[in-house]
Amino acid sequence: MNATVFEHARIVDPSRGLDEIGTLIVEGRKIVAAGPDALNQGVPDGAVRVGCRGKTIIPGLVDGRVFIGEPGAEHRETIASASEAAAAGGVTSIVMMPDTDPVIDDVALVEFVLRTAKDTARINVFPAAAITKGLKGSELTEFGLLQEAGAVAFTDGRHSIASAQVMRRALTYARDFGATIVHETRDHDLAGSGVMNEGLFASWLGLSGIPREAETIPLVRDLMLAKLTRSTYHAAKISTGISADAVARAKQEGVKASAGVSINNLALNENDIGEYRTFFRLDPPLRSEDDRLSMVEALRNGTIDIIVSSHDPQDVDTKRLPFADAAAGAIGLETLLAVALRLYHSGEVPLIRLIEALSTAPARLFALPGGTLKPGAPADFALVDLEAPWIVREADIRSKSKNTCFEDARLQGKVLQSWVSGRKVFEL
Amino acid sequence: MSPPDIEFLLDRADEAVSISRQAEKKSAVLRGRTQINLFFEASTRTQSSFELAGKRLGADVMNMSVASSSVKKGETLIDTAMTLNAMRPDILIIRHQSAGAAALLAQKVGCSVVNAGDGAHEHPTQALLDALTIRRAKGRIGGLTIAICGDILHSRVARSNILLLNALGARVRVVAPSTLLPSGIADMSVEVCRTMAEGLKGVDVVMMLRLQRERMAGSFVPSVREYFRYYGLDAAKLASARPDALVMHPGPMNRGVEIASEIADGPQSVIQEQVEMGVAVRMAVMQALLDPRRNAEAL
């Protein structure tokens, strides 16, 4: 087996608190060593040597929230096209949402996704299964059988479960299988017909608003139920300061809770909507600058555990519409890392904390291999030039859908190579 | 009930078994006494068991079918009880869907009342017949390890058995998905087990409970196939129990849901014996309540 040696790179491995110049050695599908002492045993015979001076090696990103159109809406995104986009963004593992057609609420669908991924994807694809049949919020799915088939978590995807009783039963039942319930909270009655953050800007635009409480009230309910049932709960995408406070309080009380944030709510605010730009219609909506800053602080202090792209491909048929009629969602796999690096370049969040939230923490949360450069771990990593400037061009987007919030944005930090299980799956 | 009371009833029930096995099954112990079976919930097994028990003891047995009674016309439980009480029965057997119904009735009538199951509260004669079945097969109850598996949350059989088996010195385990466990179960003097493999390990008795159909489709349990896979009693799961472990079920069974047919009909199954013991135990209970000679002996 030929080894590859990446020399003189900045090695960032949050799983070991490591951020130093060193070497990464890959042999076969595994990492042999990574860090300043990696060459203590010398360079393996016949190894290919790659000079990486000025470059950084990070564990491949693990994106905990990715929507894909296969099966059912392959014109928007297939598992194959999503995996191309992911590889280009340094994302080596994704957790795929069950919002497909048919819904991933049955063992056969989990098997279909895993089989299709094996045949067509360059990266690791882990399906999450629905909590309720058909994402309808009433009847539980077969957690045990779905988990055995390969579902890594349970979530109703874009759908929020209105019934506290159903949520309680889901949490209770999930505990028996050691499964994590992942939930995007949204009170449908309170959100009403809202399409963006409630406030002055929405009022001037003449758009109905979604109050912050529409996210936080069901979140608080869920956190209380997680405490009652002693189950593991993950708030999929929080967007407000009051939600962050609720999560922090629950964690202090010992609730097995964690939280994620969409990269969009870390990088953008409601003003980016500008003149009704539908690519900025998101769920949860872009909030005020104060909320965005709360998200950054919650990420920095560990209240928020993971950053997700919430990659959600939408086509012209769902986006080229008046703002209020357009579908919510934006793609994000290719830009996830570079946009997150804005917080590093601005000095707001240390690099190692960012990479932890993008890779190590989600891998741990969903019990996935990867997210680390420890010896023996699968060789899932990215070689990155943290400083390289680039401009996001629609023509360069690999996703089938082009609904990015970052078109023509100037970003700093480019993925040069992505590796999955010791195989190079992307090179710039 | 204290252990001596229980043992007394089980001893009388043992005698009743021999009466029931004779060709001439009728005795005159309760001749002239009136027994009314008041069943607000349909029950083939328990109702016919009480009816036969009464008849074998010589009592006059009347079955009140609630479906065609004044209850359907809006009469309250207490009014029904008062009306029946005015007819001067000696014993009322009541089955009701609400917990506490038997206790309420007992306050209002002048005769003996036997609880034949009240909601998810208790089913005392079921626990007694289970104990009798176990005692006859194993010779004792104290020191045995007994697993109660399935829908503990809604089960009156489980509650009565937990109380009675603990009183007699058995070690009781419960095995169920958490959605089918009542809160505070860990403080009911039982060991709570999450998996059948863990719960059945080395047990002397496996007691399965019925899962109601309306609870199978996504509310408490996602599906029959998942329930059977993890909590249904099949040969593989039963292998964790002692080789001579008894398999019990209060009936009616859902074959292929909580129990596989080959186990229900297999050599370890005592499900038919449970039915036989049911009649005997109910004879013993009614005799203890109504026969003054027996009462004097017992007290």
Side-chain angles (χ1 to χ4, degrees), chain A residues 19 33 46 75 90 93 130 144 156 159 195 257 262 275 326 362 373 398 411:
Chain A
D19 183 356
H75 63 291
S93 293
D156 268 3
H159 298 255
V195 293
S262 157
E275 287 287 311
L373 300 176
R398 288 166 182 81
L411 300 176

Side-chain angles (χ1 to χ4, degrees), chain A residues 14-32:
Chain A
S15 71
R16 293 180 289 165
L18 183 79
D19 183 356
E20 283 184 68
I21 305 296
T23 308
L24 172 78
I25 305 174
V26 173
E27 202 171 314
R29 305 168 66 85
K30 305 276 186 204
I31 288 169
V32 175

Side-chain angles (χ1 to χ4, degrees), chain A residues 69-249:
Chain A
E70 185 172 3
E74 286 84 352
H75 63 291
R76 287 184 205 158
E77 194 84 290
T78 60
I79 290 172
S81 66
S83 94
E84 297 291 330
V91 177
T92 53
S93 293
I94 60 174
V95 178
M96 176 176 160
M97 294 299 103
D99 309 47
T100 48
D101 184 14
V103 171
I104 306 178
D105 61 0
D106 190 272
V107 169
L109 269 293
V110 173
E111 286 167 353
F112 167 82
V113 168
L114 290 173
R115 201 168 52 242
T116 306
K118 189 162 164 272
D119 294 345
T120 68
R122 292 166 171 270
I123 59 149
N124 305 310
V125 178
F126 299 100
I131 296 171
T132 62
K133 291 170 189 163
L135 306 174
K136 291 191 195 312
S138 51
E139 296 173 2
L140 298 186
T141 59
E142 298 166 318
F143 290 6
L145 300 175
L146 288 162
Q147 193 179 53
E148 275 187 34
V152 296
F154 293 88
T155 174
D156 268 3
R158 298 184 190 96
H159 298 255
S160 201
I161 293 174
S163 161
Q165 176 70 289
V166 170
M167 182 47 78
R168 181 197 179 161
R169 293 232 176 93
L171 284 163
T172 305
Y173 196 65
R175 192 187 61 196
D176 290 348
F177 297 98
T180 301
I181 294 290
V182 180
H183 194 215
E184 204 171 306
T185 57
R186 179 183 167 103
D187 184 312
H188 285 281
D189 295 324
L190 193 52
S193 57
V195 293
M196 66 173 289
N197 186 44
E198 184 175 281
L200 179 64
F201 194 49
S203 298
W204 278 122
L205 287 176
L207 294 171
S208 50
I210 301 169
R212 293 168 181 79
E213 289 74 9
E215 167 183 304
T216 311
I217 290 171
L219 172 66
V220 169
R221 174 202 76 176
D222 286 0
L223 292 168
M224 293 178 87
L225 291 174
K227 185 177 183 183
L228 171 71
T229 57
R230 304 190 309 283
S231 298
T232 311
Y233 175 82
H234 177 69
K237 286 192 288 185
I238 65 170
S239 68
T240 75
I242 49 174
S243 290
D245 292 345
V247 171
R249 205 161 44 244

Side-chain angles (χ1 to χ4, degrees), chain A residues 171-421:
Chain A
L171 284 163
T172 305
Y173 196 65
R175 192 187 61 196
D176 290 348
F177 297 98
T180 301
I181 294 290
V182 180
H183 194 215
E184 204 171 306
T185 57
R186 179 183 167 103
D187 184 312
H188 285 281
D189 295 324
L190 193 52
S193 57
V195 293
M196 66 173 289
N197 186 44
E198 184 175 281
L200 179 64
F201 194 49
S203 298
W204 278 122
L205 287 176
L207 294 171
S208 50
I210 301 169
R212 293 168 181 79
E213 289 74 9
E215 167 183 304
T216 311
I217 290 171
L219 172 66
V220 169
R221 174 202 76 176
D222 286 0
L223 292 168
M224 293 178 87
L225 291 174
K227 185 177 183 183
L228 171 71
T229 57
R230 304 190 309 283
S231 298
T232 311
Y233 175 82
H234 177 69
K237 286 192 288 185
I238 65 170
S239 68
T240 75
I242 49 174
S243 290
D245 292 345
V247 171
R249 205 161 44 244
K251 285 184 170 184
Q252 267 167 24
E253 288 171 7
V255 180
K256 286 186 275 179
S258 55
V261 63
S262 157
I263 186 66
N264 301 313
N265 292 98
L266 279 174
L268 305 168
N269 67 29
E270 58 187 348
N271 298 310
D272 289 299
I273 290 169
E275 287 287 311
Y276 304 97
R277 295 200 288 171
T278 60
F279 286 2
F280 293 79
R281 172 146 191 220
L282 303 172
D283 239 343
L286 295 173
R287 300 286 185 183
S288 68
E289 179 62 6
D290 282 348
D291 282 311
R292 189 190 73 82
L293 291 172
S294 303
M295 293 299 96
V296 174
E297 172 55 22
L299 170 68
R300 206 190 52 75
N301 71 25
T303 299
I304 286 175
D305 302 84
I306 71 169
I307 304 170
V308 298
S309 71
S310 198
H311 182 85
D312 193 346
Q314 298 290 338
D315 201 2
V316 288
D317 58 329
T318 51
K319 278 294 191 186
R320 198 172 293 162
L321 293 167
F323 192 86
D325 303 328
I331 59 167
L333 280 167
E334 285 171 76
T335 49
L336 175 62
L337 177 64
V339 174
L341 285 174
R342 280 181 172 177
L343 300 173
Y344 158 66
H345 291 302
S346 68
E348 287 169 286
V349 183
L351 181 65
I352 194 163
R353 172 72 196 116
L354 272 181
I355 302 306
E356 181 180 32
L358 287 164
S359 174
T360 309
R364 199 184 305 128
L365 189 72
F366 297 108
L368 309 178
T372 174
L373 300 176
K374 279 182 191 159
D380 296 357
F381 62 94
L383 178 65
V384 183
D385 182 340
L386 294 174
E387 311 300 328
W390 59 294
I391 296 174
V392 182
R393 300 289 186 205
E394 189 192 329
D396 299 334
I397 291 173
R398 288 166 182 81
S399 273
K400 280 197 171 187
S401 295
K402 313 297 178 190
N403 55 314
T404 173
C405 291
F406 299 97
E407 191 175 341
D408 297 329
R410 286 164 165 73
L411 300 176
Q412 198 178 353
K414 196 92 186 87
V415 175
L416 306 174
Q417 296 182 12
S418 296
W419 290 63
V420 174
S421 294

